[in-house]
Amino acid sequence: MRYLLIMLCASVPLYAFSLEDETENREFVLDCKERVSVETEFFSSLSKKAIEVDRVLCESLLDVNPAVTSRESITDREQQAVLSKFSDQAEQDARLIARNVNIRKIEVPFKYLSEKIAEGDIYSKQLPSFSLDLVEVGGEDIYKLHFSNTVKTATFRFADNKKCQVKYSKNCDKLFDEYGKVVNQYKSSYVKLTADETIKQLDALSLQWDRYLGQARSQTTLELLLTTWIEGSHFKQGRLVGPPKRQWSVLHPSLVYEYFEAGQSGDEYKMGVAVEWFGVNWWDKNTSPVGIPFGVSLSSSYNSWANYSNVGHGLMLHFYNSYSIGWSNRDGEDSFYVSIDLLKAVTDKKKTFEMYKSKMGDIK
Amino acid sequence: MSDTPVVILVHGMGKHLPDEITKDFVVSINSNLNQISGHEDDNISDLVKIVEINYDAFFDKVRLKMAEKAKPVAERLDAISQITGVSSWGAGLIQKLTSFESNFNDDKLFYTHWLDVIFYTTLLGAKVRVDVAKKIAETIRDHAPENKIHIVAHSLGTAVVHDTLSQLFRGDFIANDDIPDLDLVTHRLKSVWMVANVSRLVNDFTDISNPYNSTVRPSIEGCMDYFRNVRHELDPFTRISQFDPKNDNNWVPRDFYDSGYKNIETSALTKMNPHDFSEYIRNPKVSLPLLRQFLRIVPEKQNSDEIFDNFLGSSLAGAFEGLKESFKEIKITDTSSLESFLKIGKEFSKVVKDFRG
C-alpha cells in the first residue's frame, strides 16, 4: 500500500489547456466631461443639447461608471427635464427640415421618443436611436424616419429627396444622416458604459469556462452530452452562463496501477484498465460539497491475475480533478488502484508514469 | 466620427479559416454592387466595417485535443486488451468509443461539419454563446450608436446567433444588476439576416430558446428593427423545422411583421450546393435588399433587371430540376431531431458530391 500512498502524494503537473485566448483585460475608459461632439453644419444647437444629455446620463450611472469622481447629485427629475428639452429641440429641428420636404406624420416618432425616454430610472433607461431607412412600400421607395420603432414612423417620398437642396445644399437623406448623428450623441456614453459593464460580466464567465476547460476532468463527447442533459436546467436559465458545477462520467476509461495482494502472480502490482460506468465530479472547490474538487464513480478494473477473475467491480474516488483511487472486489478479494486520468495522459503524463514506475522499482 | 455601418458575419458548420466568410461575403456582394450604376468601382469592404465571429476555431481545438488524447488511449486499451485478454464487461464498447474519438483529427466531413453541430448542442455551446455575446457587446460598445449594426449568420451560425441574442437581449435589462445582458432599445441592432436558418431545428434538440418566443424578432419586444430570413427552395436544412413565422399577431404584431420581417426565398443555382453561403449572397434577390438595408443603395428598375438577367444567365441550366429530383431521395420522416439533421446532412453531401462528380 505504501506505493499507492507514494503515488497519491506525488506531485503531478496539472495539464491545463486553455481553449481560448487569454481574456483581454483592456480597460475601457470614458470621461463624461470630455465627449467630442460630431461636426455639424445645421444642428449645432441640438448638438450642444445632445452632448449635455449625454454628460448627465453618463455621470448619473453611479454604479456603472466608477471613473467619475467629482459627481454632482443629479436627480431623476433633473434627468427627465434635460431629456425632455432635448426631445423638444430634436422635434423642432426635424420640423424645420419638414418645411422643405413633405414629411408625413412628423409628430409620430417624436411622440414615441418623448414617451420612451421618460420611462424608467437611470439604470433601466430605454434610449431609442434615430434612423432613416429606405424601404419599399407598395412598389414605391419611401424614406422612413423613426426612433427604434419601425411602426411609429414619419415618411417622405424618395422622389422628394432633392427638395432639401434649395436650403441646405444637400439631399434630404444626407441631411437626416447628419441630423441622426447629432441626435444619437445623447445616448453614446450610456450605450458604451452599460455595454462595457456587460462585457466585464461576460469576461468573468469566459474565465470560468477557461478554468473548466483547463482544470476540470477531461470529458468525451458522450460525457459532454450526458453532462449537458443532466445539468439541463443550468443551461436553460434564459441567460448566458458559466460552466456547470458538476461533471458526469459515463464509460470513461483510465489506465491504472492495481495492487492485489491475493494475486500471487509474482507481482502484486500491475498496470491495468479501469472503466467508470457512471459517476459525478464536483470540479470546482468553490462549489464542491467537501471543499475540494471531488468525484465518485461506479467502476470496474481489468487485469490478469492468476486464479482470479480478470474483472473486479467497485468504486473510484477522484480528487483535484487529476487524482483517482479505486477499489475493486474480485471473487471476494479486494484490490486497490490509483489512476491518472488516461485521457489526460498525453506525452507528459506518459513520462510521469515512467517516473512512477522507476521509483517503484527503486523502492522495491 | 464615421457612420459606416458595421456588419457582423457568423459562419455555419464546417471548417472556417479566419477571413474566409468575409472574403465570400465581399466577393458575392461585389459581384452585384459593381453592376449598379455609379458603383462600378466600389468595394463593399470599403463601405461597411466587417466584424467576423469565428467559433469554429474553438470547436476545432476541442476536436483536435480530443483526438490527441484519445489516440494513445485507444492504442493502450488495445494493447492491454491483448495482453490481459479482457474482452468482457463492456471493454469492447469502450475501445470502440475511444477509437471513434481518436479519429477526430480526421478531415472527413463528419468530423469537420456534423461534429460542430453535436458540439454546439452540448455544454460547449454555452461557452460559444458567451464568446459570441462578448464579441457582439464589444462591437456595440465600440461602434454604437454612431454606427448601425447588422448581423449576417449562416446555417449553424443562425442557431448560434439566435440563442446568443435571446440570452443577451432578455427584455429585462437593468444596468447595475448581475445579469450580463443588453437592452432591447438602447443597444438595439439594426438588422439580423438569417441565411439558411436552422435555429428552430437546433432548438428542437437543445431547448435553449424557442425562435418563435424569443426576443430575436423585429418588434418592440425584440432586439432589432429588421429581420430577414433567407432560404433556398432546395436547401434541405431549411425544410425541417422550418422557421416560417406567420403574419397572425402571434410572433409579432401585424404592423411590425409588415414593416420589419421579410422572408426571401431563392431558387437559382450557380453551384451545385444550395446550402452554400456564397450561393445565397450572390443571388441578387438577397444582395440587393441587403445593399438597400445596409447602405440605401438601390439600382434603377432597368439596372436591377439587368443584374437579375446576368445572374440567371450565370446559373446552371437545368440544375434546379436535376437537384430537385435528387433531393426527392432524401426522406425526411423525423423532422425534429438531431439525428435527422445529421442524416439529412450526410445524404445532402452525397447528392452534392455526386452531382459535382
Side-chain angles (χ1 to χ4, degrees):
Chain A
M1 283 301 288
R2 59 183 168 151
Y3 302 128
L4 291 175
L5 291 172
I6 289 166
M7 289 177 73
L8 264 177
C9 298
S11 162
V12 179
L14 283 176
Y15 181 63
F17 67 97
S18 175
L19 291 155
E20 264 300 296
D21 297 333
E22 279 185 23
T23 307
E24 285 178 35
N25 286 318
R26 186 164 58 88
E27 196 67 39
F28 175 75
V29 180
L30 192 149
D31 188 332
C32 299
K33 288 193 168 64
E34 297 296 322
R35 304 296 288 149
V36 180
S37 59
V38 298
E39 285 180 22
T40 176
E41 194 180 345
F42 302 107
F43 309 105
S44 51
S45 172
L46 179 61
S47 185
K48 277 182 194 159
K49 279 204 168 55
I51 290 290
E52 175 60 10
V53 174
D54 182 62
R55 185 190 63 78
V56 168
L57 292 175
C58 181
E59 294 192 347
S60 301
L61 284 167
L62 297 171
D63 292 351
V64 174
N65 188 8
V68 177
T69 48
S70 58
R71 297 177 189 276
E72 296 167 29
S73 178
I74 302 166
T75 63
D76 276 357
R77 185 176 291 180
E78 285 168 314
Q79 284 165 33
Q80 301 297 5
V82 291
L83 278 164
S84 175
K85 279 182 190 166
F86 164 71
S87 171
D88 290 346
Q89 173 85 52
E91 183 169 357
Q92 277 174 34
D93 281 23
R95 285 185 182 278
L96 282 177
I97 301 173
R99 288 181 187 173
N100 299 275
V101 58
N102 181 26
I103 300 177
R104 280 189 70 234
K105 296 186 178 176
I106 184 85
E107 72 287 355
V108 171
F110 291 97
K111 186 166 182 288
Y112 179 74
L113 173 69
S114 60
E115 286 170 1
K116 205 70 192 166
I117 58 178
E119 293 170 5
D121 65 16
I122 187 65
Y123 297 110
S124 56
K125 277 282 172 211
Q126 292 205 303
L127 304 174
S129 297
F130 175 83
S131 285
L132 178 76
D133 303 327
L134 178 57
V135 299
E136 192 181 346
V137 178
E140 187 192 6
D141 287 332
I142 62 164
Y143 286 105
K144 213 158 74 166
L145 289 69
H146 65 97
F147 283 94
S148 303
N149 184 328
T150 56
V151 169
K152 306 284 185 190
T153 62
T155 58
F156 65 94
R157 297 173 63 229
F158 181 76
D160 290 342
N161 195 26
K162 289 184 177 163
K163 289 194 171 175
C164 298
Q165 283 278 358
V166 179
K167 185 173 179 190
Y168 298 98
S169 303
K170 55 168 83 174
N171 285 349
C172 298
D173 63 342
K174 296 296 174 199
L175 188 64
F176 272 115
D177 282 344
E178 183 183 328
Y179 172 86
K181 274 199 270 187
V182 168
V183 166
N184 289 340
Q185 291 178 105
Y186 87 100
K187 58 182 277 192
S188 180
S189 296
Y190 192 94
V191 167
K192 292 175 193 308
L193 285 170
T194 50
D196 191 61
E197 198 65 11
T198 298
I199 291 163
K200 284 179 195 158
Q201 292 169 327
L202 293 170
D203 273 341
L205 291 182
S206 255
L207 283 173
Q208 286 179 34
W209 277 109
D210 286 346
R211 282 184 58 229
Y212 183 84
L213 293 165
Q215 295 175 14
R217 297 187 73 207
S218 296
Q219 290 190 286
T220 62
T221 312
L222 195 61
E223 288 170 322
L224 288 174
L225 284 164
L226 179 72
T227 303
T228 308
W229 180 63
I230 294 177
E231 301 295 329
S233 58
H234 173 72
F235 298 108
K236 294 173 190 171
Q237 295 178 63
R239 59 184 283 182
L240 295 152
V241 293
K245 292 174 186 172
R246 298 173 298 189
Q247 304 179 274
W248 295 86
S249 313
V250 64
L251 303 176
H252 191 103
S254 305
L255 195 65
V256 295
Y257 269 115
E258 191 167 27
Y259 171 79
F260 189 44
E261 202 164 13
Q264 295 178 349
S265 62
D267 185 357
E268 59 270 31
Y269 300 97
K270 275 192 180 178
M271 188 179 270
V273 174
V275 170
E276 294 164 54
W277 299 111
F278 187 74
V280 61
N281 182 50
W282 285 266
W283 68 277
D284 185 0
K285 68 174 182 180
N286 298 317
T287 51
S288 165
V290 295
I292 59 166
F294 169 78
V296 59
S297 304
L298 290 171
S299 60
S300 297
S301 63
Y302 298 81
N303 234 322
S304 58
W305 304 104
N307 305 322
Y308 285 91
S309 168
N310 286 334
V311 186
H313 307 295
L315 282 176
M316 265 179 108
L317 301 176
H318 314 287
F319 303 94
Y320 297 103
N321 298 311
S322 292
Y323 307 97
S324 301
I325 58 171
W327 157 80
S328 271
N329 187 278
R330 281 182 171 76
D331 305 329
E333 296 290 338
D334 293 332
S335 73
F336 299 91
Y337 52 87
V338 293
S339 161
I340 297 170
D341 189 329
L342 188 53
L343 289 179
K344 283 191 169 182
V346 287
T347 318
D348 288 348
K349 295 291 167 64
K350 194 178 171 187
K351 284 178 189 163
T352 310
F353 268 117
E354 295 305 321
M355 182 188 80
Y356 289 148
K357 230 175 159 182
S358 75
K359 272 190 181 177
M360 286 172 72
D362 292 347
I363 292 165
K364 270 181 168 180
Chain B
M1 229 177 285
S2 159
D3 57 354
T4 306
V6 177
V7 180
I8 299 173
L9 296 177
V10 186
H11 63 74
M13 57 196 163
K15 271 198 168 186
H16 291 274
L17 298 171
D19 289 338
E20 196 174 276
I21 191 171
T22 301
K23 280 179 194 156
D24 286 347
F25 180 78
V26 168
V27 170
S28 304
I29 292 287
N30 282 347
S31 70
N32 289 307
L33 174 65
N34 296 150
Q35 294 182 66
I36 298 175
S37 179
H39 297 278
E40 291 82 354
D41 299 321
D42 282 351
N43 189 329
I44 187 71
S45 57
D46 297 329
L47 303 178
V48 301
K49 178 180 171 53
I50 296 175
V51 174
E52 185 178 307
I53 296 181
N54 186 312
Y55 57 87
D56 181 53
F58 166 66
F59 283 161
D60 236 21
K61 280 183 187 171
V62 173
R63 194 168 62 85
L64 296 175
K65 191 62 77 179
M66 279 183 168
E68 186 186 310
K69 288 180 171 185
K71 204 145 200 157
V73 176
E75 287 165 8
R76 288 181 194 197
L77 269 172
D78 191 43
I80 289 165
S81 163
Q82 283 177 24
I83 293 166
T84 61
V86 171
S87 58
S88 59
W89 273 92
L93 175 63
I94 306 295
Q95 261 179 294
K96 276 183 187 165
L97 287 171
T98 312
S99 167
F100 169 69
E101 293 206 339
S102 71
N103 290 324
F104 276 13
N105 59 352
D106 202 317
D107 270 348
K108 280 184 184 166
L109 197 70
F110 176 83
Y111 302 114
T112 57
H113 283 64
W114 316 129
L115 201 56
D116 283 1
V117 182
I118 295 172
F119 277 170
Y120 180 69
T121 62
T122 71
L123 56 90
L124 299 178
K127 192 263 191 289
V128 165
R129 289 191 286 279
V130 168
D131 291 343
V132 173
K134 194 179 151 202
K135 193 79 179 171
I136 291 171
E138 282 173 347
T139 306
I140 289 169
R141 179 193 65 188
D142 297 343
H143 298 286
E146 301 83 23
N147 315 89
K148 306 294 183 201
I149 295 170
H150 308 263
I151 298 181
V152 179
H154 175 236
S155 184
L156 181 61
T158 62
V160 173
V161 164
H162 170 269
D163 296 347
T164 303
L165 291 181
S166 74
Q167 295 184 333
L168 184 60
F169 291 89
R170 292 160 37 98
D172 57 355
F173 174 77
I174 296 172
N176 59 345
D177 67 7
D178 63 354
I179 299 173
D181 61 349
L182 296 174
D183 183 63
L184 298 175
V185 176
T186 305
H187 306 103
R188 195 173 186 79
L189 302 165
K190 190 68 198 166
S191 75
V192 172
W193 294 65
M194 296 294 204
V195 180
N197 193 346
V198 297
S199 58
R200 274 195 74 215
L201 174 62
V202 173
N203 186 66
D204 284 343
F205 190 77
T206 60
D207 198 22
I208 292 295
S209 170
N210 182 346
Y212 285 162
N213 293 325
S214 72
T215 55
V216 187
R217 50 181 139 166
S219 69
I220 47 173
E221 288 88 21
C223 64
M224 84 279 292
D225 285 349
Y226 299 98
F227 187 116
R228 299 290 182 253
N229 189 58
V230 185
R231 65 166 165 260
H232 193 286
E233 202 181 325
L234 295 183
D235 187 342
F237 295 102
T238 63
R239 282 157 62 194
I240 36 178
S241 277
Q242 191 171 71
F243 180 79
D244 189 21
K246 305 295 179 209
N247 192 0
D248 57 4
N249 273 330
N250 280 326
W251 184 51
V252 291
R254 281 202 174 90
D255 45 3
F256 278 101
Y257 189 101
D258 291 336
S259 66
Y261 178 71
K262 204 163 273 178
N263 182 55
I264 301 172
E265 188 148 319
T266 61
S267 57
L269 287 164
T270 58
K271 298 178 189 173
M272 276 301 176
N273 185 352
H275 189 65
D276 183 76
F277 179 67
S278 302
E279 179 81 45
Y280 271 108
I281 302 296
R282 222 190 132 217
N283 194 317
K285 268 181 113 172
V286 180
S287 52
L288 292 187
L290 197 142
L291 286 166
R292 172 195 282 268
Q293 180 86 81
F294 293 0
L295 296 159
R296 300 203 305 257
I297 292 175
V298 182
E300 298 279 339
K301 173 80 173 65
Q302 191 185 344
N303 193 180
S304 173
D305 290 345
E306 286 165 5
I307 294 169
F308 273 98
D309 287 346
N310 289 341
F311 175 73
L312 292 173
S314 69
S315 66
L316 302 170
F320 182 85
E321 289 306 322
L323 211 53
K324 195 175 180 180
E325 278 303 307
S326 301
F327 283 143
K328 273 185 186 168
E329 299 302 315
I330 299 179
K331 298 277 187 284
I332 303 172
T333 48
D334 177 6
T335 59
S336 61
S337 76
L338 182 68
E339 195 186 345
S340 70
F341 184 84
L342 298 175
K343 188 180 167 213
I344 285 167
K346 197 177 164 189
E347 294 192 32
F348 170 74
S349 306
K350 188 174 171 294
V351 169
V352 170
K353 201 176 167 187
D354 289 349
F355 244 84
R356 283 175 171 163

